[in-house]
């Protein structure tokens, strides 16, 4: 199957695109876009990949579902379009960055600037129905994004994987901790952020590790 995705990713993921599950997933997603309101816009489904080529990845942040309210999702986990009010988890991420690094909270919740520095902002499920969280789970996306994580974990070295919450930690449990830095804590959701997300210092720890490996740190 010919999928429109950044070339370095297409080369490494073509074997996934040719598997039966991906054809079934593609047919499901096409039908959903034809019959329902689906986020993100179809042209941005692979925005995380298009914004961050395989060899440029330094950090992987793993989310679960795209946002399902109008105008929010644009293909990068936790990120929203310019001018959109920060969802609670994103607000807490910016609070932690401020507490960790002293960087004031930005005007925009658009994390494209992170992606362009080498942060792969990957949701486990890449599409969702409007107002229906989890509506595209267990349709094949998780198998695809498992393959993405596996490619990075086995073909690259010295990456930082940031896994917030039990779902992300489960999804990344096979990553070799000797080969990569894996940072875990509770999720930044208001339900859990005060139980160990605030104060996890994941942003300074990420940059310290990248510097130690001779890699340009992220300007969070």
């Amino acid at each position: 199957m010919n999928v429109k995705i950044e070339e370095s990713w297409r080369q490494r993921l073509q074997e996934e695109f040719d598997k039966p599950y991906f054809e079934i997933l593609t047919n499901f997603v096409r039908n959903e876009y034809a019959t329902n309101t689906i986020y993100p816009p179809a042209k941005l489904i692979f925005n995380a990949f298009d914004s961050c080529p395989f060899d440029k990845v330094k950090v992987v942040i793993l989310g679960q579902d795209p946002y399902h309210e109008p105008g929010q999702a644009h293909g990068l986990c936790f990120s929203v379009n310019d001018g959109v009010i920060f969802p609670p988890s994103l607000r807490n991420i910016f609070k932690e960055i401020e507490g960790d690094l002293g960087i004031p909270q930005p005007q925009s919740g658009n994390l494209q600037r992170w992606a362009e520095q080498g942060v792969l902002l990957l949701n486990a499920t890449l599409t969702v129905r409007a107002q229906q969280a989890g509506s595209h789970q267990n349709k094949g996306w998780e198998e695809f994004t498992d393959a993405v994580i596996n490619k990075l974990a086995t073909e690259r070295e010295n990456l930082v994987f940031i896994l917030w919450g039990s779902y992300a930690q489960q999804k990344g449990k096979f990553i070799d901790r000797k080969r990569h830095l894996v940072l875990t804590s509770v999720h930044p959701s208001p339900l859990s952020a005060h139980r160990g997300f605030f104060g996890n210092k994941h942003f300074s720890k990420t940059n310290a590790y990248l510097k130690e490996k001779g890699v340009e740190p992220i300007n969070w």
Side-chain angles (χ1 to χ4, degrees):
M1 181 180 293
N2 186 24
V3 175
K4 279 191 71 178
I5 192 170
E6 192 275 332
E7 181 60 21
S8 66
W9 284 108
R10 190 192 62 74
Q11 289 172 11
R12 286 168 178 86
L13 297 171
Q14 189 61 51
E15 61 189 312
E16 294 302 309
F17 300 146
D18 291 337
K19 288 179 179 176
Y21 87 86
F22 200 86
E23 184 175 357
I24 294 166
L25 169 64
T26 300
N27 291 336
F28 166 76
V29 169
R30 279 190 184 130
N31 184 61
E32 284 285 282
Y33 274 94
T35 56
N36 294 283
T37 301
I38 306 298
Y39 300 127
K43 66 181 183 195
L44 295 176
I45 291 173
F46 294 112
N47 189 22
F49 303 91
D50 296 337
S51 302
C52 189
F54 184 87
D55 292 323
K56 297 280 170 44
V57 176
K58 303 174 183 177
V59 180
V60 181
I61 298 180
L62 190 59
Q64 191 163 353
D65 246 13
Y67 294 123
H68 54 265
E69 298 294 334
Q72 292 181 318
H74 64 125
L76 307 177
C77 74
F78 294 107
S79 178
V80 290
N81 283 301
D82 293 325
V84 175
I85 293 170
F86 300 168
S89 291
L90 181 59
R91 194 178 309 122
N92 286 340
I93 288 168
F94 288 146
K95 276 186 192 168
E96 174 56 23
I97 290 172
E98 187 167 21
D100 185 12
L101 296 169
I103 299 170
Q105 295 188 46
Q107 296 298 306
S108 171
N110 190 331
L111 304 181
Q112 189 77 33
R113 63 188 183 276
W114 293 3
E116 289 166 4
Q117 295 178 75
V119 182
L120 183 70
L121 293 159
L122 180 67
N123 275 316
T125 303
L126 299 188
T127 53
V128 70
R129 270 192 201 182
Q131 275 87 43
Q132 293 184 44
S135 48
H136 284 189
Q137 290 176 6
N138 303 314
K139 303 294 185 184
W141 279 131
E142 293 91 344
E143 186 173 346
F144 172 70
T145 50
D146 279 349
V148 170
I149 297 165
N150 192 48
K151 282 279 179 195
L152 286 164
T154 56
E155 294 186 20
R156 296 286 311 279
E157 290 186 348
N158 303 329
L159 299 180
V160 182
F161 289 88
I162 298 178
L163 309 177
W164 295 323
S166 56
Y167 181 89
Q169 288 162 33
Q170 193 64 18
K171 196 169 173 70
K173 67 178 188 285
F174 63 83
I175 299 164
D176 184 348
R177 267 63 170 175
K178 294 192 185 74
R179 190 171 178 143
H180 305 284
L181 176 64
V182 179
L183 297 173
T184 62
S185 79
V186 299
H187 196 273
S189 156
L191 299 172
S192 56
H194 289 281
R195 299 202 308 269
F197 178 77
F198 292 130
N200 67 23
K201 301 198 178 299
H202 282 181
F203 302 96
S204 59
K205 287 175 181 174
T206 293
N207 279 354
Y209 179 82
L210 294 174
K211 282 185 198 164
E212 181 192 312
K213 300 300 179 184
V215 178
E216 185 76 22
I218 306 299
N219 179 13
W220 300 106

